[in-house]
Amino acid sequence: MILHDTICALATPPGIGGLAVVRLSGSSSLRIADACFSGKRSWEQVKSHTIHYGHFVRSDHRSYVLDTVTASVFRAPHSYTGEDTVEFGCHGGMILASDIVSSLISAGARMALPGEFTKRAFLNRKLDLTQAEAVADMIHAVSTRGAQTATRQLLGGLTKRLQDLRLQLMDICGLLELELDFADEGIELIDRAVIRDRIHTTQTYCAELAQNFRASEIVRSGYTVGIIGYPNAGKSSLLNTLLQRTRAIVSDVPGTTRDYIEEMTMMEDMPIVCIDTAGIRASEDMIEIEGIKLAESLIQRCHAVVVLNDCLEGVQHSQPLYDRIREQYPHVQMIAVQNKIDALSHDEQKQLKAEHSEEMLFLSTKNNEGVAQLQARIAGLARADSSRVSDSLINQRHAQLLHQIVSALQKADNALDTAPSNEFIAIDVREALRLIGEMTGEVWNEDILNHIFSRFCIGK
């Protein structure tokens, strides 16, 4: 499926650097490249998968040299997009790449939309939809594990499994529908036990895959930890300590934090998103009230919450807050932490830890005591919650489709015992097939594609 227009864009991050790459793809790529590149050979002579050195010139003024560049040529269909593609390697900087893109546009190309190169790769069947989504996950990966898992998905691990399941279901549908032609003779072409076994195999796999969504989100975007507590518990100080830099303003005045601060850091090779929130208390300050409401709404998307208590106010001072959060958000892991233990005497610290060491941690942001133990606890929770991820990163679209597949197959399983005709069983199996096709891109519509590829950067 070669599209009619030719697109171009900077494929590397904009800014100052040693090199930049400008990508050109489409049916007119070689003609447009010929208008802008001066080398030793004509473009009719160059072979696919070759690199050429020369001058990049303005298409309207060929004596005006913009840069010395390399031109990598990939002829259709043996390219990333499946189209004729040329990639120009130029010197990095704010100006050169922009001038090269402008010259290509003047010669007949247009600026690519976000993700349009990968969208063309999908439309030209170089990638299926799960592989295309893996490209975005590789680009936005925040951890080595996330990048490696996305790479395995790009190589087709998930695609192969879904194709195998799809073939099994197609085989079932074919035999069920063939039996309809022999209904009067009472001929059974496939054992009902075999049908049920294949349905259960697909159903189990899809259900397990859907359960990977939470783990995939952690590997993809990080494990989110909210820091909450009453005013002056030391939340901002703890954020700065965890980040190992001053990010939040620290003050003894209650209610200093009005908005939330969100930053990512690494703890034992796990990507952790830390959120410092406004102190929760009764207040008549409208701005502070909005900050408190925002803090509580953020808890919903956290994987874990650190309830920070000022131990000088009493060990049980924040217990009501801890209990309320645990009741309202049962899916969130809770970590009770006593702060400011440096202000206690040695004997007081010893007694406190002896009485409560099993259910809470003790630290001092002032002298960094106990911080390593908190980081280890958070990293351990993140590692446990993401342990299910293997060969694929399940996103929200995948999870929704997988749940629908499981539901359709459950209906087919029930119909095996109750349906008066094979036709009713086949309808539900066909629905599961359609939904698997939506996952891989065998079935798609323009709105779905636009939503998926809008996440990509321009040039990919």
Side-chain angles (χ1 to χ4, degrees):
M1 179 180 176
I2 303 298
L3 303 181
H4 295 298
D5 57 351
T6 299
I7 57 175
C8 68
L10 177 65
T12 47
I16 297 173
L19 295 172
V21 175
V22 175
R23 178 179 282 171
L24 178 70
S25 181
S27 57
S28 300
S29 290
L30 299 182
R31 177 187 61 78
I32 293 171
D34 191 34
C36 300
F37 180 80
S38 176
K40 293 182 178 180
R41 296 183 180 180
S42 67
W43 285 91
E44 291 77 13
Q45 296 176 322
V46 300
K47 296 180 180 180
S48 182
H49 293 72
T50 56
I51 301 176
H52 306 272
Y53 175 79
H55 295 156
F56 194 97
V57 299
R58 278 177 43 175
S59 58
D60 59 345
H61 197 322
R62 288 189 62 86
S63 63
Y64 192 109
V65 177
L66 292 174
D67 194 8
T68 55
V69 300
T70 58
S72 303
V73 181
F74 307 92
R75 291 184 179 271
H78 306 296
S79 70
Y80 178 73
T81 61
E83 305 170 329
D84 284 341
T85 301
V86 181
E87 295 181 353
F88 294 102
C90 64
H91 293 93
M94 301 296 293
I95 304 299
L96 286 175
S98 178
D99 286 346
I100 287 174
V101 170
S102 296
S103 184
L104 293 172
I105 291 174
S106 296
R110 69 164 172 82
M111 179 64 77
L113 299 173
E116 190 169 4
F117 291 99
T118 303
K119 183 178 181 180
R120 290 186 176 211
F122 164 73
L123 293 174
N124 290 323
R125 299 187 178 278
K126 306 297 289 186
L127 302 170
D128 80 353
L129 208 48
T130 62
Q131 290 173 303
E133 289 168 306
V135 172
D137 287 332
M138 289 176 67
I139 294 171
H140 297 288
V142 297
S143 67
T144 300
R145 188 178 179 191
Q148 290 174 344
T149 305
T151 299
R152 289 194 291 272
Q153 184 168 319
L154 177 62
L155 293 175
L158 178 59
T159 300
K160 178 63 168 62
R161 183 59 173 155
L162 291 174
Q163 285 176 343
D164 290 344
L165 295 175
R166 195 164 183 267
L167 288 173
Q168 286 191 34
L169 294 180
M170 288 177 68
D171 188 37
I172 291 173
C173 281
L175 291 172
L176 286 171
E177 291 166 357
L178 185 60
E179 275 189 8
L180 291 173
D181 296 334
F182 299 93
D184 294 338
E185 289 82 0
I187 298 174
E188 187 178 271
L189 298 178
I190 183 170
D191 191 321
R192 288 293 186 271
V194 174
I195 295 177
R196 179 166 273 122
D197 181 64
R198 292 186 182 181
I199 286 174
H200 284 177
T201 297
T202 306
Q203 194 176 23
T204 301
Y205 176 75
C206 292
E208 290 176 351
L209 206 56
Q211 291 174 2
N212 285 349
F213 174 56
R214 176 184 170 93
S216 296
E217 284 297 285
I218 294 170
V219 172
R220 178 186 292 109
S221 305
Y223 187 79
T224 304
V225 179
I227 304 172
I228 67 170
Y230 295 134
N232 274 2
K235 298 180 297 297
S236 297
S237 295
L238 177 57
L239 177 72
N240 291 339
T241 301
L242 293 175
L243 298 179
Q244 297 182 347
R245 62 188 176 91
T246 301
R247 177 64 180 84
I249 297 173
V250 177
S251 171
D252 292 332
V253 179
T256 301
T257 303
R258 304 298 184 91
D259 202 346
Y260 72 95
I261 298 174
E262 181 173 334
E263 290 285 342
M264 179 175 287
T265 187
M266 300 298 291
M267 298 183 189
E268 297 183 4
D269 295 328
M270 294 298 300
I272 309 295
V273 179
C274 299
I275 304 178
D276 176 27
T277 63
I280 299 175
R281 66 171 179 173
S283 174
E284 296 182 358
D285 186 313
M286 293 304 297
I287 297 177
E288 186 178 357
I289 290 172
E290 288 303 312
I292 294 169
K293 288 181 180 178
L294 183 59
E296 298 211 7
S297 70
L298 287 169
I299 298 172
Q300 179 64 38
R301 70 178 180 90
C302 288
H303 298 104
V305 165
V306 172
V307 180
L308 196 64
N309 181 59
D310 180 352
C311 68
L312 300 180
E313 299 287 343
V315 178
Q316 302 299 322
H317 178 60
S318 297
Q319 192 63 40
L321 175 62
Y322 181 95
D323 292 338
R324 179 167 66 83
I325 297 301
R326 184 172 57 181
E327 182 179 352
Q328 285 184 259
Y329 306 98
H331 67 284
V332 176
Q333 298 275 6
M334 305 290 292
I335 306 174
V337 178
Q338 298 290 333
N339 189 26
K340 304 182 182 180
I341 63 168
D342 57 281
L344 301 177
S345 68
H346 177 74
D347 289 340
E348 288 173 326
Q349 290 186 36
K350 187 176 180 180
Q351 181 180 355
L352 191 64
K353 292 177 181 179
E355 293 176 350
H356 303 282
S357 60
E358 291 185 4
E359 68 267 24
M360 59 186 61
L361 297 175
F362 304 87
L363 62 82
S364 166
T365 56
K366 185 175 181 180
N367 59 23
N368 220 31
E369 182 182 350
V371 174
Q373 287 81 359
L374 175 59
Q375 290 173 320
R377 173 76 64 86
I378 293 172
L381 292 173
R383 194 173 293 108
D385 270 5
S386 62
S387 61
R388 296 179 62 91
V389 173
S390 55
D391 291 329
S392 56
L393 292 179
I394 301 303
N395 58 35
Q396 191 170 33
R397 184 184 78 87
H398 299 154
Q400 289 174 347
L401 288 171
L402 288 165
H403 285 304
Q404 292 173 36
I405 292 168
V406 170
S407 178
L409 291 175
Q410 186 58 54
K411 290 179 182 179
D413 187 32
N414 295 338
L416 282 170
D417 298 321
T418 60
S421 167
N422 286 350
E423 183 178 359
F424 295 93
I425 306 170
I427 287 173
D428 294 319
V429 177
R430 286 284 180 196
E431 174 63 8
L433 274 170
R434 185 189 67 79
L435 293 166
I436 291 176
E438 277 195 38
M439 278 195 70
T440 61
E442 293 289 331
V443 179
W444 59 271
N445 63 55
E446 195 65 30
D447 289 338
I448 291 175
L449 293 191
N450 289 339
H451 175 71
I452 290 172
F453 291 106
S454 65
R455 297 176 52 226
F456 287 56
C457 55
I458 294 175
K460 192 56 183 170

